[in-house]
Amino acid sequence: MKVITFGELMLRLAPEGYYRFVQADSFGATFGGGEANVAVSLANYGVPVDFVTKLPKHEIGQAAVNSLRKYGVGVEKIVRGGDRVGIYFLEKGASQRPSKVIYDRAGSAIAKASPEDFDWKSIFADADWFHFTGITPALSPEVAKICLSAVKEAKAAGLTVSCDLNYRKKLWTREEARAAMSEICRYVDVCISNEEDAADVFGIHAEGTDVDTGKINREGYRSVAEQLTKMFGFRAVAITLRESISANDNNWAAMLYQGGECYFSRKYSMHIVDRVGGGDSFGGGLIYAMRAGYDPQKTIEFAVAASCLKHSVEGDYNMVSVAEVEALAGGSGSGRVQR
């Protein structure tokens, strides 16, 4: 059985190294996007996975498709049509200067998609898991309707549904997000969030936490998970806990709330190469571990270790194996040369 992920695949344009936008004479071109990043992680772990989106028939659209195919992601269910591939520009932060993202994705093929583009019954025919993020329904009111249809069909077909809340203030307002996600989340089994998403989307705050100063109160997230579970009946809630020391150095951990119990991972001190896709790599690790039947503690340790490694990898996609993740989760984190 397969995992299906659904969302937007974008062209990523970034200056070399730590150059600012205004300094750059050239931009490196790669591809990425929340649910596509999850799909690549799962494919690298040996999980059969299909990515669903809509992309133009022209060469840039084909290059986007090829970026997934070469890692083993199924692309046969991608709808071809529309005029443009969404773009995002990334300026890497350093020290106390934060990273910056500028979107150029209005009018992209997926943003202008219609419900008739996707036959969810056929898409889910050989699947047991469906994953999407809160970025996707933010693309347009029509795409929000598509997401709602997808989760309804997934539940009717007996799939496990996971959603990373992933609030993006550049795409919609908190009020718009709350209205759409409150309906969609009724069909979600596994909710993934971070320090800010639950507050931004549902107004649920973790007591004693200040994301701007990097102060995290772990126990405050037990209450967040309990409130989310009570609100929507989630089977599990996973929350990443990022302590931002600077743009280059973060502490990284997570919590899994399942069966009325909280499970906290170990904490990693990370020196960051590329932060984009860090949350998606956590989601990919979580889905892999849950589908593999890991116990809750092993599940959260695997997901956090997978994401920790992603922060050392350039680009959106997480280029690591199960063996590498398990080695880090098992305590091999010195970075010594492997001979």
Side-chain angles (χ1 to χ4, degrees):
M1 300 293 280
K2 292 182 176 180
V3 175
I4 304 294
T5 74
F6 171 61
E8 181 167 24
L9 180 58
M10 293 180 290
L11 175 65
R12 163 175 157 165
L13 298 177
E16 180 183 356
Y18 292 95
Y19 277 89
R20 304 212 69 184
F21 289 137
V22 295
Q23 292 177 289
D25 296 317
S26 62
F27 290 77
T30 54
F31 292 92
E35 299 87 351
N37 300 342
V38 170
V40 171
S41 280
L42 291 170
N44 284 332
Y45 300 150
V47 175
V49 56
D50 286 346
F51 177 65
V52 179
T53 192
K54 186 174 184 179
L55 286 166
K57 295 180 181 179
H58 56 52
E59 289 85 351
I60 304 303
Q62 189 60 46
V65 171
N66 293 348
S67 76
L68 297 174
R69 180 184 284 130
K70 72 178 180 180
Y71 295 116
V73 175
V75 297
E76 294 77 14
K77 295 170 183 174
I78 292 176
V79 177
R80 304 303 294 270
D83 297 319
R84 67 183 305 253
V85 176
I87 299 171
Y88 85 93
F89 297 86
L90 172 67
E91 178 185 279
K92 280 190 186 180
S95 191
Q96 277 65 49
R97 175 172 60 83
S99 296
K100 183 176 291 186
V101 170
I102 296 175
Y103 289 130
D104 179 17
R105 61 200 298 184
S108 67
I110 184 64
K112 299 183 77 171
S114 65
E116 293 73 31
D117 284 325
F118 303 98
D119 179 359
W120 292 109
K121 189 177 294 292
S122 173
I123 290 168
F124 292 142
D126 56 353
D128 63 2
W129 195 292
F130 176 55
H131 177 77
F132 68 104
T133 76
I135 298 171
T136 302
L139 296 176
S140 73
E142 279 296 287
V143 180
K145 292 177 185 177
I146 293 169
C147 284
L148 183 58
S149 296
V151 294
K152 287 180 177 180
E153 182 60 41
K155 291 302 293 180
L159 278 69
T160 298
V161 178
S162 59
C163 174
D164 190 332
L165 293 180
N166 261 352
Y167 174 71
R168 295 292 185 267
K169 64 183 179 182
K170 293 184 177 181
L171 296 179
W172 58 357
T173 66
R174 289 181 175 86
E175 292 72 24
E176 289 170 330
R178 185 171 301 180
M181 297 304 293
S182 292
E183 190 170 11
I184 290 170
C185 282
R186 292 165 49 207
Y187 301 91
V188 170
D189 300 294
V190 179
C191 177
I192 302 168
S193 183
N194 66 16
E195 314 93 273
E196 301 171 271
D197 289 335
D200 285 329
V201 180
F202 297 120
I204 299 174
H205 296 268
E207 184 178 346
T209 289
D210 185 342
V211 297
D212 291 324
T213 63
K215 179 184 177 183
I216 296 290
N217 174 23
R218 297 196 329 168
E219 294 304 320
Y221 285 97
R222 178 189 296 270
S223 174
V224 170
E226 288 173 345
Q227 290 179 68
L228 285 170
T229 299
K230 184 176 181 180
M231 189 177 294
F232 296 108
F234 296 135
R235 194 176 82 203
V237 176
I239 299 177
T240 56
L241 307 172
R242 184 188 296 273
E243 298 173 1
S244 292
I245 300 165
S246 71
N248 298 103
D249 296 284
N250 288 181
N251 292 327
W252 184 244
M255 180 199 81
L256 178 63
Y257 180 80
Q258 188 174 343
E261 298 292 333
C262 281
Y263 303 86
F264 287 93
S265 75
R266 61 177 289 193
K267 183 190 293 186
Y268 295 93
S269 295
M270 306 184 301
H271 185 72
I272 298 171
V273 169
D274 193 332
R275 173 174 167 170
V276 176
D280 305 320
S281 60
F282 174 82
L286 187 80
I287 293 168
Y288 173 84
M290 293 185 82
R291 288 181 84 252
Y294 291 1
D295 65 51
Q297 189 64 50
K298 186 176 180 181
T299 292
I300 198 63
E301 297 291 0
F302 186 93
V304 168
S307 186
C308 178
L309 288 173
K310 164 61 194 76
H311 287 75
S312 72
V313 178
E314 292 276 8
D316 274 52
Y317 300 156
N318 193 17
M319 300 288 97
V320 299
S321 67
V322 170
E324 289 172 317
V325 177
E326 289 184 336
L328 178 58
S332 177
S334 67
R336 290 176 63 86
V337 175
Q338 300 297 303
R339 303 184 190 274

